[in-house]
Amino acid sequence: MTIVPSGTQGLPTTPPDQGVGPLLRAWREQRRVSQLELALRAGSSARHISFVETGRSRPSEEMVLRLAEHLDVPVRERNALLLAAGYAPRYPETPLGAPAMDALREGMERLLQGYEPYPALVTDATYHVLAANRGIAMLLGGVPESLLVPPLNAIRLTLHPEGLAPRIRNLRAWRGHLLERMERQITLRRSEPLRELYEEVAAYPLPPGTLEEESGGDPGEEASAYFALPMRIEHDGRVLTFISSVSTFNTPMDVTVAELAIETFLPADPATGKYLHSLMT
């Protein structure tokens, strides 16, 4: 469960030659907020917002951060807005392997260990796997070595026709769920690396013989009522069923921390939980 670098830190997502006005306007339009509504939220005036967007007025550092907060701009992009306005970045981007991150790394590793035997992993903004527990290693058994060369990518491993995809019994539904999640994140972050990953995995062909389980089980099996979309995956001749949950850090003050996500997989039926516990005894 060693934390590994993803190789994606520092990737620019905003063109550096744009002024802060056009960038703020683009974020406002993307969030579908009017100048008047943004002004009311930020304690300003629609006229001032208009002047900032057209370059007639240079916003203060405080105003840039206030507008970014009310537009839900990601932390990395807030730094880009500050630079475009002529100010220094406010949020550091500390490498995850730095001594300053020791407590964070140790905490995440304890969390992953404590979640065993259930699968859990930590990913960055482009789904590179930074840490994973033995539950994830169990699911990856049989995946070709060519797909396990670092940096591992959780989405690529899941949807690649030689990865987990052939073993996922409800692949069409699970694939749709993952692609929709990526689309939402692309809209939020405007990340070109994430868009490139989306275009890659969306173009993967479905494995031959892919079946879709509309009822959640094989024909003749009793349908189960799940409280969220499950992932049903074959492992050693049996079908395991999981519900996934994604957690992020509250009000992060560092770019690296802001882009971390901890995904955990909870057994969705008693048989899956019992089997996983049997593997650890």
Side-chain angles (χ1 to χ4, degrees):
M1 289 188 297
T2 302
I3 299 291
V4 296
S6 68
T8 60
Q9 290 185 342
L11 287 172
T13 56
T14 297
D17 55 346
Q18 291 193 39
V20 68
L23 292 177
L24 283 170
R25 182 175 64 248
W27 281 109
R28 179 181 60 77
E29 291 174 349
Q30 187 170 354
R31 297 295 187 258
R32 298 182 180 181
V33 176
S34 68
Q35 290 181 342
L36 178 59
E37 183 178 356
L38 179 58
L40 292 173
R41 293 181 186 179
S44 183
S45 67
R47 182 181 182 185
H48 182 57
I49 299 298
S50 176
F51 279 16
V52 167
E53 291 185 354
T54 57
R56 296 178 64 184
S57 177
R58 178 175 181 248
S60 66
E61 182 179 11
E62 179 186 1
M63 177 59 72
V64 172
L65 291 172
R66 194 186 314 163
L67 294 176
E69 178 181 359
H70 289 291
L71 291 173
D72 196 22
V73 177
V75 172
R76 180 183 295 277
E77 295 297 340
R78 296 186 191 193
N79 278 344
L81 289 173
L82 287 169
L83 283 171
Y87 303 109
R90 172 68 63 91
Y91 304 96
E93 185 175 0
T94 310
L96 202 53
M101 293 291 200
D102 284 351
L104 176 66
R105 290 196 314 275
E106 292 170 4
M108 291 192 299
E109 289 181 353
R110 285 198 299 270
L111 188 153
L112 296 184
Q113 288 178 338
Y115 201 71
E116 291 177 351
Y118 308 147
L121 72 162
V122 180
T123 58
D124 66 9
T126 50
Y127 290 95
H128 287 101
V129 179
L130 304 180
N133 66 7
R134 290 182 295 172
I136 291 294
M138 177 270 298
L139 290 179
L140 294 180
V143 172
E145 289 295 325
S146 59
L147 291 178
L148 298 178
V149 176
L152 304 184
N153 188 278
I155 296 292
R156 188 177 291 116
L157 284 168
T158 302
L159 298 183
H160 195 283
E162 296 180 1
L164 296 180
R167 292 161 43 198
I168 298 177
R169 299 290 284 272
N170 58 337
L171 177 60
R172 292 183 187 275
W174 192 251
R175 177 179 181 273
H177 153 69
L178 292 180
L179 293 179
E180 288 175 4
R181 184 203 296 183
M182 294 180 73
E183 288 173 352
R184 291 194 298 271
Q185 291 173 326
I186 289 170
T187 299
L188 174 64
R189 296 174 179 167
R190 294 166 56 183
S191 166
E192 189 58 32
L194 189 59
R195 181 177 297 280
E196 291 174 0
L197 176 64
Y198 174 88
E199 292 174 353
E200 174 192 335
V201 299
Y204 286 162
L206 293 175
T210 298
L211 298 176
E212 183 62 24
E213 299 179 349
E214 298 296 344
S215 63
D218 292 330
E221 289 185 0
E222 182 179 354
S224 300
Y226 297 113
F227 45 86
L229 177 69
M231 179 182 72
R232 291 174 48 82
I233 184 169
E234 294 181 7
H235 178 75
D236 284 348
R238 67 183 68 226
V239 177
L240 306 179
T241 307
F242 297 96
I243 300 294
S244 73
S245 174
V246 179
S247 302
T248 56
F249 289 91
N250 183 42
T251 317
M253 302 300 293
D254 186 283
V255 174
T256 299
V257 177
E259 296 178 347
L260 293 177
I262 302 172
E263 184 160 11
T264 54
F265 292 83
L266 181 72
D269 56 48
T272 297
K274 183 177 180 181
Y275 175 70
L276 293 175
H277 279 283
S278 72
L279 294 179
M280 300 298 177
T281 58

